[in-house]
Amino acid sequence: MEAIEKAYALNQHSHKVRGASTISQQVAKNLFLWSGRSYFRKGVEAYFTLLIEEPMAEAADTEVYLNIAEFGYGTYGAEAAAERFFHKPPAGSRVTNAAVLAAVLPNPQRLSAAAPSRYVQQRRRMDPGSDAGTGRSGNAG
């Protein structure tokens, strides 16, 4: 709720819209809801998040997210993305390839794993334990 409140406050005074979703919220959106940004969809997303968050452990939550996240137009899940962009299954991919996939997650429609921009390459090299490395401050966008 704190991230949503901060995003709401920032969005009232900025032309750039900031998201505020946890991994659980991303799973709820990707499984049950439509794309787009509205406070109505965010409310419905919060409802579904409460339904799935309790029974789902954090590790399972992340695994589900990586299996359904969009990594590029029509490419859903880390396995499909590794096959499409690197022509190998995830187990055969290098760590740097996985880092490129993670770097495009904030906006896979704008950021490309096939032709990583300077921005994606920079994100790929960041420390994954830092907020800068995830591109988030404790939330998933």
Side-chain angles (χ1 to χ4, degrees):
M1 289 306 293
E2 183 180 330
I4 293 171
E5 289 171 2
K6 284 181 181 179
Y8 178 78
L10 179 70
N11 294 342
Q12 298 304 305
H13 306 289
S14 174
H15 293 294
K16 184 177 179 183
V17 178
R18 178 181 182 267
S21 295
T22 63
I23 294 292
S24 298
Q25 288 174 300
Q26 289 289 314
V27 169
K29 180 190 73 142
N30 290 345
L31 281 176
F32 304 115
L33 301 172
W34 60 94
S35 296
R37 293 181 178 208
S38 71
Y39 291 109
F40 175 75
R41 189 196 53 81
K42 184 59 81 175
V44 175
E45 177 184 300
Y47 170 76
F48 280 110
T49 300
L50 291 174
L51 293 177
I52 67 171
E53 201 165 58
E54 188 63 33
M56 196 182 288
E58 187 174 323
D61 197 30
T62 303
E63 183 178 350
V64 169
Y65 174 70
L66 291 173
N67 283 315
I68 64 172
E70 183 177 14
F71 287 89
Y73 183 75
T75 304
Y76 295 90
E79 185 170 353
E83 292 282 352
R84 176 180 175 193
F85 300 119
F86 310 120
H87 310 291
K88 8 181 128 167
S93 293
R94 299 183 341 216
V95 172
T96 55
N97 292 345
V100 167
L101 293 178
V104 303
L105 280 178
N107 192 341
Q109 295 296 328
R110 186 176 64 84
L111 304 172
S112 171
S117 65
R118 183 177 298 169
Y119 174 76
V120 169
Q121 291 293 341
Q122 179 183 13
R123 286 177 50 81
R124 177 187 64 83
R125 289 188 283 273
M126 290 182 176
D127 175 9
S130 73
D131 288 343
T134 60
R136 298 169 190 91
S137 177
N139 64 55

